[in-house]
Coordinates of all heavy atoms in Angstrom, one line a residue:
M26 N 3.5 30.3 -29.8 CA 2.2 29.8 -29.4 C 2.5 28.5 -28.7 O 3.3 27.7 -29.2 CB 1.4 29.4 -30.6 CG 0.1 28.8 -30.2 SD -1.3 29.1 -31.3 CE -0.8 28.2 -32.8
P27 N 1.9 28.3 -27.4 CA 2.3 27.1 -26.6 C 1.7 25.7 -27.2 O 0.6 25.9 -27.8 CB 1.6 27.3 -25.2 CG 0.5 28.4 -25.5 CD 1.0 29.1 -26.7
R28 N 2.4 24.7 -27.2 CA 2.0 23.5 -27.7 C 0.9 22.9 -26.9 O 1.1 22.8 -25.6 CB 3.1 22.5 -27.9 CG 4.1 22.9 -29.0 CD 5.1 21.9 -29.1 NE 4.5 20.6 -29.4 CZ 5.0 19.6 -29.9 NH1 6.4 19.8 -30.4 NH2 4.5 18.5 -30.1
T29 N -0.1 22.2 -27.4 CA -1.1 21.5 -26.6 C -0.5 20.3 -26.2 O 0.1 19.5 -27.1 CB -2.4 21.3 -27.6 OG1 -2.8 22.5 -28.1 CG2 -3.4 20.5 -26.9
R30 N -0.7 19.8 -25.0 CA -0.3 18.6 -24.5 C -1.0 17.5 -25.1 O -2.1 17.6 -25.5 CB -0.5 18.4 -22.9 CG 0.5 19.4 -22.2 CD 0.4 19.3 -20.7 NE -0.5 18.2 -20.1 CZ -0.9 18.1 -18.9 NH1 -0.5 19.1 -18.1 NH2 -1.6 17.2 -18.5
R31 N -0.3 16.3 -25.2 CA -0.9 15.0 -25.9 C -2.0 14.6 -25.0 O -1.9 14.5 -23.8 CB 0.1 14.0 -26.2 CG 1.0 14.3 -27.4 CD 1.8 13.2 -27.7 NE 0.8 12.0 -28.0 CZ 0.8 11.4 -29.1 NH1 1.5 11.6 -30.1 NH2 -0.1 10.4 -29.2
S32 N -3.0 14.2 -25.6 CA -4.1 13.3 -25.0 C -3.5 12.0 -24.2 O -2.6 11.4 -24.8 CB -5.2 13.1 -25.8 OG -6.0 12.0 -25.3
P33 N -4.1 11.6 -23.1 CA -3.7 10.3 -22.5 C -4.0 9.1 -23.5 O -3.5 8.0 -23.3 CB -4.3 10.3 -21.3 CG -5.4 11.1 -21.4 CD -5.1 12.2 -22.3
C34 N -4.8 9.3 -24.4 CA -5.4 8.3 -25.3 C -4.5 8.4 -26.6 O -5.0 8.9 -27.6 CB -6.9 8.6 -25.6 SG -7.8 8.6 -24.1
S35 N -3.4 7.7 -26.6 CA -2.7 7.8 -27.8 C -2.3 6.5 -28.5 O -1.6 6.3 -29.4 CB -1.2 8.3 -27.4 OG -0.6 7.5 -26.4
S36 N -3.3 5.5 -28.3 CA -3.2 4.2 -29.0 C -4.0 4.4 -30.3 O -4.8 5.3 -30.5 CB -3.7 3.1 -28.0 OG -5.1 3.1 -28.0
N37 N -4.1 3.2 -30.9 CA -5.0 3.1 -32.1 C -6.5 3.0 -31.8 O -7.4 2.9 -32.5 CB -4.5 2.0 -33.1 CG -4.5 0.6 -32.4 OD1 -4.7 0.5 -31.2 ND2 -4.6 -0.4 -33.1
R38 N -6.7 2.9 -30.4 CA -8.1 2.8 -29.8 C -8.4 4.0 -29.1 O -9.2 3.9 -28.0 CB -8.1 1.5 -29.0 CG -7.8 0.3 -29.7 CD -7.8 -1.0 -28.9 NE -9.1 -1.1 -28.2 CZ -9.4 -2.3 -27.6 NH1 -8.7 -3.3 -27.6 NH2 -10.6 -2.4 -27.0
D39 N -8.1 5.2 -29.6 CA -8.3 6.5 -28.9 C -9.8 6.6 -28.5 O -10.1 7.2 -27.5 CB -8.0 7.6 -29.8 CG -6.5 7.7 -29.9 OD1 -5.7 7.1 -29.1 OD2 -5.9 8.6 -30.7
S40 N -10.7 6.3 -29.4 CA -12.1 6.6 -29.2 C -12.7 5.8 -28.0 O -13.4 6.3 -27.1 CB -13.0 6.4 -30.3 OG -13.0 5.1 -30.7
L41 N -12.2 4.5 -27.9 CA -12.6 3.8 -26.7 C -12.0 4.4 -25.5 O -12.7 4.3 -24.4 CB -12.0 2.2 -26.9 CG -12.6 1.6 -27.9 CD1 -12.1 0.2 -28.2 CD2 -14.2 1.4 -27.8
C42 N -10.7 4.8 -25.5 CA -10.2 5.4 -24.3 C -10.9 6.7 -23.8 O -11.1 6.8 -22.7 CB -8.7 5.7 -24.7 SG -7.7 6.5 -23.3
R43 N -11.2 7.6 -24.8 CA -11.9 8.8 -24.5 C -13.2 8.6 -23.9 O -13.7 9.1 -22.9 CB -12.0 9.7 -25.7 CG -10.7 10.3 -26.1 CD -10.8 11.2 -27.2 NE -11.3 10.7 -28.5 CZ -10.4 10.3 -29.5 NH1 -9.2 10.6 -29.4 NH2 -10.9 9.8 -30.6
N44 N -14.0 7.4 -24.4 CA -15.2 7.1 -24.0 C -15.1 6.4 -22.6 O -15.9 6.8 -21.7 CB -15.7 6.0 -25.0 CG -17.2 5.6 -24.6 OD1 -17.3 4.7 -23.7 ND2 -18.2 6.0 -25.2
A45 N -14.1 5.7 -22.3 CA -13.9 5.0 -21.1 C -13.7 6.0 -19.9 O -14.1 5.8 -18.8 CB -12.8 3.9 -21.1
L46 N -12.8 7.0 -20.2 CA -12.5 8.0 -19.3 C -13.7 8.9 -18.9 O -14.0 9.1 -17.8 CB -11.4 8.9 -19.9 CG -10.0 8.4 -19.9 CD1 -9.1 9.2 -20.7 CD2 -9.4 8.0 -18.6
R47 N -14.5 9.2 -19.9 CA -15.7 10.1 -19.6 C -16.7 9.2 -18.7 O -17.2 9.7 -17.7 CB -16.3 10.4 -20.9 CG -17.7 11.1 -20.7 CD -18.5 11.5 -22.0 NE -18.6 10.4 -22.9 CZ -19.5 9.3 -22.8 NH1 -20.4 9.4 -21.8 NH2 -19.7 8.4 -23.8
K48 N -16.8 7.9 -19.1 CA -17.7 7.2 -18.4 C -17.3 6.8 -17.0 O -18.1 6.7 -16.0 CB -18.1 5.8 -19.2 CG -19.0 6.0 -20.4 CD -19.2 4.7 -21.1 CE -20.2 4.8 -22.2 NZ -20.5 3.6 -22.8
A49 N -15.9 6.7 -16.9 CA -15.4 6.5 -15.6 C -15.7 7.6 -14.5 O -15.8 7.5 -13.4 CB -13.9 6.3 -15.6
D50 N -15.8 8.8 -15.2 CA -16.1 10.0 -14.3 C -17.6 10.1 -14.2 O -18.1 11.1 -13.5 CB -15.6 11.2 -14.9 CG -15.1 12.3 -13.9 OD1 -14.4 11.8 -12.8 OD2 -15.4 13.5 -14.0
G51 N -18.4 9.3 -14.7 CA -19.9 9.3 -14.5 C -20.6 10.3 -15.3 O -21.7 10.8 -14.9
L52 N -20.1 10.7 -16.4 CA -20.7 11.8 -17.3 C -21.2 11.3 -18.5 O -20.7 10.3 -19.2 CB -19.6 12.9 -17.6 CG -19.1 13.6 -16.3 CD1 -17.9 14.5 -16.6 CD2 -20.2 14.4 -15.6
T53 N -22.2 12.0 -19.0 CA -22.8 11.6 -20.4 C -22.1 12.5 -21.4 O -21.5 13.6 -21.1 CB -24.4 11.8 -20.4 OG1 -24.6 13.1 -20.2 CG2 -25.0 10.9 -19.3
Q54 N -22.3 12.2 -22.6 CA -21.9 13.0 -23.8 C -22.6 14.3 -23.7 O -22.0 15.5 -23.9 CB -22.1 12.3 -25.0 CG -21.1 11.2 -25.4 CD -21.3 10.6 -26.7 OE1 -22.4 10.8 -27.4 NE2 -20.4 9.9 -27.2
E55 N -23.9 14.3 -23.4 CA -24.7 15.5 -23.3 C -24.1 16.5 -22.3 O -24.1 17.7 -22.4 CB -26.2 15.1 -22.9 CG -27.1 16.4 -23.0 CD -27.4 16.9 -24.3 OE1 -27.5 16.1 -25.3 OE2 -27.5 18.1 -24.4
E56 N -23.8 16.0 -21.1 CA -23.3 16.8 -20.0 C -21.9 17.4 -20.4 O -21.7 18.7 -20.1 CB -23.1 16.0 -18.7 CG -24.5 15.5 -18.2 CD -24.2 14.5 -16.9 OE1 -23.3 13.6 -17.1 OE2 -25.1 14.5 -16.0
V57 N -21.0 16.8 -20.9 CA -19.7 17.2 -21.4 C -20.0 18.3 -22.5 O -19.4 19.4 -22.5 CB -18.8 16.2 -21.7 CG1 -17.4 16.8 -22.2 CG2 -18.6 15.2 -20.6
A58 N -20.8 17.9 -23.4 CA -21.1 18.9 -24.5 C -21.6 20.3 -24.0 O -21.2 21.3 -24.5 CB -22.1 18.4 -25.5
E59 N -22.4 20.1 -23.1 CA -23.1 21.4 -22.5 C -22.0 22.2 -21.9 O -22.0 23.6 -22.1 CB -24.1 21.0 -21.4 CG -24.9 22.1 -20.9 CD -26.0 21.8 -19.9 OE1 -26.6 20.7 -20.0 OE2 -26.3 22.5 -19.0
V60 N -21.2 21.7 -21.2 CA -20.0 22.5 -20.6 C -19.1 23.1 -21.7 O -18.7 24.3 -21.5 CB -19.1 21.6 -19.7 CG1 -17.8 22.2 -19.2 CG2 -19.8 21.0 -18.5
F61 N -19.0 22.5 -22.8 CA -18.1 23.1 -23.8 C -19.0 24.0 -24.8 O -18.4 24.8 -25.6 CB -17.4 22.0 -24.8 CG -16.3 21.4 -24.1 CD1 -16.3 20.1 -23.5 CD2 -15.0 22.1 -24.3 CE1 -15.0 19.6 -23.0 CE2 -13.9 21.6 -23.7 CZ -14.0 20.3 -23.1
G62 N -20.3 24.0 -24.6 CA -21.1 24.8 -25.4 C -21.2 24.2 -26.8 O -21.4 25.1 -27.7
V63 N -21.2 22.9 -27.0 CA -21.4 22.4 -28.3 C -22.5 21.4 -28.1 O -23.0 21.0 -27.1 CB -20.2 21.7 -28.7 CG1 -19.1 22.7 -28.9 CG2 -19.7 20.5 -27.8
T64 N -23.0 20.9 -29.3 CA -24.0 19.9 -29.3 C -23.6 18.4 -28.8 O -22.4 18.4 -29.1 CB -24.7 19.7 -30.7 OG1 -23.8 19.2 -31.6 CG2 -25.3 21.0 -31.2
R65 N -24.4 17.7 -28.6 CA -24.1 16.4 -28.1 C -23.4 15.6 -29.4 O -22.4 14.9 -29.3 CB -25.2 15.5 -27.6 CG -24.7 14.0 -27.2 CD -25.8 13.0 -27.1 NE -26.4 12.7 -28.4 CZ -25.7 12.0 -29.4 NH1 -24.6 11.4 -29.1 NH2 -26.4 11.8 -30.6
V66 N -24.1 15.8 -30.6 CA -23.5 15.2 -31.8 C -22.0 15.7 -32.0 O -21.2 14.9 -32.3 CB -24.5 15.6 -33.0 CG1 -23.7 15.2 -34.3 CG2 -25.7 14.9 -32.8
A67 N -21.8 17.1 -31.8 CA -20.4 17.5 -32.0 C -19.5 16.9 -31.1 O -18.4 16.4 -31.4 CB -20.5 19.1 -31.9
F68 N -19.8 16.8 -29.8 CA -19.0 16.1 -28.8 C -18.8 14.6 -29.3 O -17.6 14.2 -29.0 CB -19.6 16.3 -27.4 CG -18.6 15.6 -26.4 CD1 -17.5 16.1 -26.0 CD2 -18.9 14.3 -25.9 CE1 -16.5 15.5 -25.2 CE2 -18.0 13.6 -25.1 CZ -16.9 14.2 -24.7
H69 N -19.9 13.9 -29.6 CA -19.7 12.5 -30.0 C -18.7 12.4 -31.1 O -17.8 11.5 -31.1 CB -21.1 12.0 -30.5 CG -21.1 10.7 -31.2 ND1 -20.9 9.5 -30.5 CD2 -21.0 10.4 -32.4 CE1 -20.9 8.5 -31.4 NE2 -20.9 9.0 -32.6
R70 N -18.7 13.3 -32.1 CA -17.7 13.3 -33.1 C -16.3 13.5 -32.7 O -15.3 12.9 -33.2 CB -18.2 14.4 -34.2 CG -19.4 13.9 -34.9 CD -19.8 15.0 -36.0 NE -18.9 15.4 -36.9 CZ -18.6 14.8 -38.1 NH1 -19.2 13.7 -38.4 NH2 -17.7 15.2 -38.9
W71 N -16.2 14.3 -31.7 CA -14.7 14.5 -31.0 C -14.3 13.2 -30.4 O -13.2 12.7 -30.6 CB -14.8 15.5 -30.0 CG -15.0 17.0 -30.3 CD1 -15.3 17.4 -31.5 CD2 -15.1 18.0 -29.3 NE1 -15.7 18.8 -31.4 CE2 -15.4 19.2 -30.1 CE3 -15.0 18.1 -27.9 CZ2 -15.7 20.4 -29.4 CZ3 -15.3 19.3 -27.5 CH2 -15.5 20.5 -28.1
E72 N -15.3 12.6 -29.6 CA -14.9 11.4 -28.8 C -14.6 10.2 -29.7 O -13.8 9.3 -29.4 CB -16.1 11.1 -28.0 CG -15.7 10.1 -26.8 CD -16.9 9.8 -25.9 OE1 -17.8 9.2 -26.2 OE2 -16.6 10.4 -24.7
T73 N -15.3 10.2 -30.8 CA -15.1 9.0 -31.8 C -14.0 9.2 -32.8 O -13.6 8.3 -33.6 CB -16.4 8.7 -32.5 OG1 -16.8 9.8 -33.2 CG2 -17.5 8.1 -31.6
G74 N -13.4 10.4 -32.8 CA -12.4 10.8 -33.8 C -12.8 11.2 -35.1 O -12.1 11.3 -36.0
L75 N -14.2 11.3 -35.4 CA -14.7 11.8 -36.6 C -14.4 13.3 -36.9 O -14.5 13.7 -38.0 CB -16.2 11.4 -36.7 CG -16.6 9.9 -36.6 CD1 -18.0 9.8 -36.6 CD2 -16.0 9.3 -38.0
A76 N -14.2 14.0 -35.8 CA -13.9 15.4 -35.9 C -13.0 15.8 -34.9 O -12.9 15.2 -33.8 CB -15.2 16.3 -35.9
K77 N -12.3 17.0 -35.0 CA -11.4 17.5 -34.0 C -11.9 18.7 -33.5 O -12.4 19.5 -34.3 CB -10.0 17.7 -34.7 CG -8.9 18.1 -33.8 CD -7.6 18.2 -34.6 CE -6.5 18.8 -33.7 NZ -5.2 18.9 -34.5
P78 N -11.9 18.9 -32.2 CA -12.3 20.1 -31.6 C -11.7 21.4 -32.2 O -10.5 21.3 -32.6 CB -12.0 20.0 -30.1 CG -11.8 18.7 -29.9 CD -11.2 18.1 -31.2
R79 N -12.4 22.5 -32.3 CA -11.7 23.7 -32.8 C -10.7 24.2 -31.8 O -10.8 23.8 -30.7 CB -12.8 24.7 -33.0 CG -13.7 24.4 -34.2 CD -14.6 25.4 -34.5 NE -15.5 24.9 -35.7 CZ -16.4 25.8 -36.2 NH1 -16.7 26.8 -35.8 NH2 -17.1 25.2 -37.3
R80 N -9.9 25.0 -32.2 CA -8.8 25.4 -31.4 C -9.2 26.0 -30.1 O -8.6 25.6 -29.1 CB -8.0 26.6 -32.1 CG -6.8 27.0 -31.3 CD -6.1 28.1 -32.1 NE -5.4 27.4 -33.2 CZ -4.7 28.1 -34.2 NH1 -4.6 29.4 -34.0 NH2 -4.1 27.5 -35.2
R81 N -10.2 26.7 -30.0 CA -10.7 27.3 -28.6 C -11.2 26.1 -27.6 O -11.2 26.3 -26.5 CB -11.9 28.2 -28.9 CG -13.1 27.7 -29.4 CD -14.2 28.8 -29.5 NE -15.4 28.3 -29.9 CZ -16.0 28.5 -31.0 NH1 -15.3 29.2 -31.9 NH2 -17.1 28.0 -31.4
H82 N -11.6 25.0 -28.2 CA -11.9 23.9 -27.4 C -10.8 22.8 -27.1 O -10.8 21.9 -26.2 CB -13.2 23.2 -27.8 CG -14.3 24.1 -27.9 ND1 -15.1 24.3 -29.1 CD2 -15.0 24.6 -27.0 CE1 -16.1 25.1 -28.7 NE2 -16.1 25.4 -27.4
L83 N -10.0 22.7 -28.2 CA -9.0 21.7 -28.2 C -8.1 21.4 -26.9 O -8.0 20.4 -26.2 CB -8.1 21.7 -29.4 CG -7.0 20.5 -29.6 CD1 -7.8 19.1 -29.6 CD2 -6.2 20.8 -30.8
E84 N -7.5 22.7 -26.5 CA -6.6 22.5 -25.4 C -7.4 22.2 -24.1 O -6.9 21.4 -23.2 CB -5.9 23.9 -25.2 CG -4.8 23.8 -24.1 CD -4.0 25.1 -24.1 OE1 -3.7 25.7 -25.1 OE2 -3.6 25.4 -22.9
A85 N -8.6 22.8 -24.0 CA -9.5 22.4 -22.7 C -9.7 21.0 -22.8 O -9.9 20.3 -21.7 CB -10.7 23.4 -22.7
Y86 N -10.2 20.4 -24.0 CA -10.6 19.1 -24.0 C -9.3 18.0 -23.7 O -9.6 17.1 -22.9 CB -11.0 18.7 -25.4 CG -11.6 17.2 -25.6 CD1 -12.5 16.7 -24.6 CD2 -11.3 16.5 -26.7 CE1 -13.0 15.4 -24.8 CE2 -11.8 15.2 -26.9 CZ -12.7 14.7 -25.8 OH -13.2 13.4 -26.1
V87 N -8.2 18.4 -24.1 CA -7.0 17.7 -23.8 C -6.7 17.7 -22.2 O -6.4 16.8 -21.6 CB -5.8 18.1 -24.5 CG1 -4.5 17.5 -24.1 CG2 -6.0 17.7 -26.0
R88 N -6.8 18.9 -21.7 CA -6.6 19.1 -20.2 C -7.7 18.2 -19.6 O -7.4 17.5 -18.4 CB -6.8 20.4 -19.8 CG -5.6 21.3 -20.0 CD -5.6 22.7 -19.3 NE -6.9 23.4 -19.4 CZ -7.1 24.3 -20.3 NH1 -6.2 24.6 -21.1 NH2 -8.3 25.0 -20.3
L89 N -8.9 18.2 -20.0 CA -10.0 17.4 -19.4 C -9.7 16.0 -19.5 O -9.7 15.2 -18.4 CB -11.3 17.6 -20.1 CG -12.5 16.8 -19.5 CD1 -12.8 17.3 -18.1 CD2 -13.8 17.1 -20.4
L90 N -9.3 15.4 -20.6 CA -8.9 14.0 -20.8 C -7.7 13.7 -19.8 O -7.7 12.6 -19.3 CB -8.4 13.7 -22.2 CG -9.6 13.7 -23.2 CD1 -9.1 13.6 -24.6 CD2 -10.5 12.5 -22.9
N91 N -6.6 14.6 -19.8 CA -5.5 14.3 -18.8 C -6.0 14.2 -17.4 O -5.4 13.5 -16.6 CB -4.4 15.4 -19.1 CG -3.6 15.2 -20.3 OD1 -3.3 14.1 -20.7 ND2 -3.3 16.2 -21.1
G92 N -6.9 15.1 -17.1 CA -7.4 15.0 -15.6 C -8.1 13.8 -15.3 O -8.0 13.2 -14.3
W93 N -9.0 13.4 -16.3 CA -9.7 12.1 -16.1 C -8.7 10.9 -16.1 O -8.9 10.0 -15.2 CB -10.6 11.9 -17.3 CG -11.9 12.7 -17.3 CD1 -12.4 13.2 -16.2 CD2 -12.7 12.9 -18.4 NE1 -13.7 13.9 -16.5 CE2 -13.8 13.7 -17.9 CE3 -12.7 12.6 -19.6 CZ2 -14.9 14.1 -18.8 CZ3 -13.8 13.0 -20.5 CH2 -14.8 13.8 -19.9
A94 N -7.6 11.0 -16.9 CA -6.6 10.0 -16.8 C -6.0 9.8 -15.5 O -5.7 8.7 -15.0 CB -5.6 10.0 -18.0
A95 N -5.6 11.0 -15.0 CA -5.0 11.0 -13.7 C -6.0 10.5 -12.6 O -5.5 9.8 -11.6 CB -4.5 12.5 -13.3
K96 N -7.2 10.8 -12.7 CA -8.1 10.4 -11.7 C -8.6 9.0 -11.8 O -9.0 8.2 -10.9 CB -9.4 11.3 -11.8 CG -10.5 11.3 -10.9 CD -11.6 12.3 -11.1 CE -12.7 12.1 -10.0 NZ -13.7 13.1 -10.4
H97 N -8.6 8.5 -13.2 CA -9.1 7.1 -13.4 C -8.1 6.3 -14.3 O -8.3 6.0 -15.4 CB -10.4 7.2 -14.0 CG -11.4 8.1 -13.5 ND1 -12.2 7.6 -12.2 CD2 -11.9 9.1 -13.7 CE1 -12.9 8.5 -11.9 NE2 -12.9 9.5 -12.8
P98 N -6.8 6.1 -13.8 CA -5.9 5.5 -14.6 C -6.3 4.0 -15.1 O -5.9 3.6 -16.2 CB -4.6 5.3 -13.8 CG -5.1 5.5 -12.3 CD -6.4 6.3 -12.4
E99 N -7.1 3.4 -14.4 CA -7.6 2.2 -14.8 C -8.5 2.2 -16.0 O -8.5 1.3 -16.8 CB -8.3 1.4 -13.7 CG -9.7 2.0 -13.3 CD -9.7 3.3 -12.6 OE1 -8.6 3.7 -12.2 OE2 -10.7 4.0 -12.5
A100 N -9.1 3.3 -16.2 CA -10.0 3.5 -17.4 C -9.2 3.6 -18.6 O -9.6 3.0 -19.6 CB -10.9 4.7 -17.1
A101 N -8.2 4.3 -18.5 CA -7.3 4.6 -19.7 C -6.6 3.3 -20.1 O -6.4 2.9 -21.2 CB -6.2 5.6 -19.5
Q102 N -6.1 2.5 -19.0 CA -5.3 1.4 -19.3 C -6.2 0.3 -19.7 O -5.9 -0.6 -20.5 CB -4.6 0.8 -17.9 CG -3.6 1.7 -17.5 CD -3.0 1.5 -16.2 OE1 -3.6 0.6 -15.5 NE2 -2.0 2.2 -15.8
A103 N -7.5 0.2 -19.2 CA -8.5 -0.9 -19.6 C -8.8 -0.7 -21.0 O -9.0 -1.8 -21.7 CB -9.7 -0.9 -18.9
S104 N -8.7 0.3 -21.7 CA -9.1 0.5 -23.2 C -7.9 0.2 -23.9 O -8.1 0.1 -25.3 CB -9.6 1.9 -23.4 OG -8.6 2.8 -23.2
E105 N -6.7 0.0 -23.4 CA -5.4 -0.3 -24.3 C -5.6 -1.7 -24.8 O -6.0 -2.7 -24.0 CB -4.2 -0.1 -23.5 CG -3.9 1.3 -23.2 CD -3.6 2.1 -24.4 OE1 -2.8 1.6 -25.3 OE2 -4.0 3.2 -24.7
P106 N -5.0 -2.1 -25.9 CA -5.1 -3.5 -26.4 C -4.2 -4.3 -25.4 O -3.1 -3.9 -25.0 CB -4.6 -3.4 -27.8 CG -4.0 -2.1 -28.1 CD -4.5 -1.2 -26.9
E107 N -4.6 -5.5 -25.2 CA -3.9 -6.4 -24.4 C -2.6 -7.0 -25.2 O -2.9 -7.3 -26.3 CB -4.6 -7.6 -23.8 CG -5.7 -7.1 -22.9 CD -6.4 -8.4 -22.3 OE1 -5.9 -9.4 -22.3 OE2 -7.6 -8.1 -21.8
R108 N -1.5 -7.1 -24.6 CA -0.3 -7.5 -25.2 C -0.1 -9.0 -24.8 O -0.1 -9.3 -23.5 CB 0.9 -6.7 -24.9 CG 0.7 -5.3 -25.5 CD 2.1 -4.7 -25.5 NE 1.9 -3.4 -26.1 CZ 2.2 -2.2 -25.4 NH1 2.7 -2.1 -24.3 NH2 2.1 -1.0 -26.1
Q109 N 0.2 -9.9 -25.8 CA 0.4 -11.2 -25.4 C 2.0 -11.5 -25.4 O 2.7 -11.1 -26.2 CB -0.3 -12.1 -26.4 CG -1.8 -12.1 -26.4 CD -2.4 -13.0 -27.3 OE1 -1.6 -13.6 -28.2 NE2 -3.6 -13.2 -27.3
A110 N 2.3 -12.2 -24.4 CA 3.8 -12.6 -24.2 C 4.2 -13.7 -25.3 O 3.5 -14.4 -25.6 CB 4.1 -13.0 -22.8
G111 N 5.4 -13.5 -25.8 CA 5.8 -14.6 -26.5 C 6.2 -14.3 -27.9 O 6.4 -14.9 -28.8

């Protein structure tokens, strides 16, 4: 079975990253949920990390996040914690 690629949101602030990527593409939770055929509440739980997509949705969601990260790299980077020198 092929391994699912990692999401571009791999920090401890994953939910902020996923949210920033979706918003950078100008989409609402409702719009993305409709494409996946799930409720807005279910998608909200994926985005906030309260639930994990089922197998049939997981790979597609990771591909979507990777596509958004490639299209909007500033959104993924902006959600990363700032590192202080020193």
